[in-house]
Amino acid sequence: MRSTDYELIWAVVSEIPAGRVATYGQVAQAAGLPGRARLVGRALKNLPENAIVPWQRVLGAGGHISLTALAGQLQGELLREEGVQFLKEGRVDLKRHQWEF
């Protein structure tokens, strides 16, 4: 991992508009790091404290929140505030909210 990889990932995530979401794999692909979805998760986990990167807009495959406990709850709340709707089974409808890079 190079710090520039994190910067590429943060730049891609910063492009996701409010009300839209992307998957970890989609972000990795857009950052030129295909197959590195886990790296996307690490990059978001290591965001600087004062960063304004909209981390909440990145979801697991299928539209699921991958975070646990309070972090996952916060992610869901932030997405709902942006107008993202969840299906009954607790995932985001990617057909409706997925952002295409």
Side-chain angles (χ1 to χ4, degrees), residues 69-84:
L70 293 176
Q73 185 177 359
L74 174 61
Q75 184 177 17
E77 290 172 8
L78 291 171
L79 289 172
R80 284 181 185 89
E81 287 175 10
E82 294 182 3
V84 174

Side-chain angles (χ1 to χ4, degrees):
M1 189 288 304
R2 302 178 321 241
S3 63
T4 55
D5 290 343
Y6 280 10
E7 292 166 1
L8 287 169
I9 290 165
W10 297 336
V12 169
V13 174
S14 293
E15 298 284 324
I16 304 169
R20 296 289 184 189
V21 297
T23 65
Y24 291 99
Q26 183 183 7
V27 170
Q29 184 74 33
L33 301 163
R36 306 291 308 272
R38 289 181 186 215
L39 179 62
V40 173
R42 280 197 304 276
L44 294 178
K45 183 177 181 178
N46 288 293
L47 275 169
E49 194 171 314
N50 61 348
I52 56 171
V53 175
W55 60 270
Q56 73 275 10
R57 298 179 188 152
V58 183
L59 300 169
H64 294 280
I65 290 179
S66 298
L67 303 175
T68 59
L70 293 176
Q73 185 177 359
L74 174 61
Q75 184 177 17
E77 290 172 8
L78 291 171
L79 289 172
R80 284 181 185 89
E81 287 175 10
E82 294 182 3
V84 174
Q85 296 176 352
F86 286 76
L87 298 171
K88 289 180 184 176
E89 60 269 18
R91 66 180 179 84
V92 172
D93 182 356
L94 293 179
K95 289 180 183 175
R96 183 176 202 177
H97 294 288
Q98 189 169 26
W99 185 49
E100 297 299 327
F101 291 85

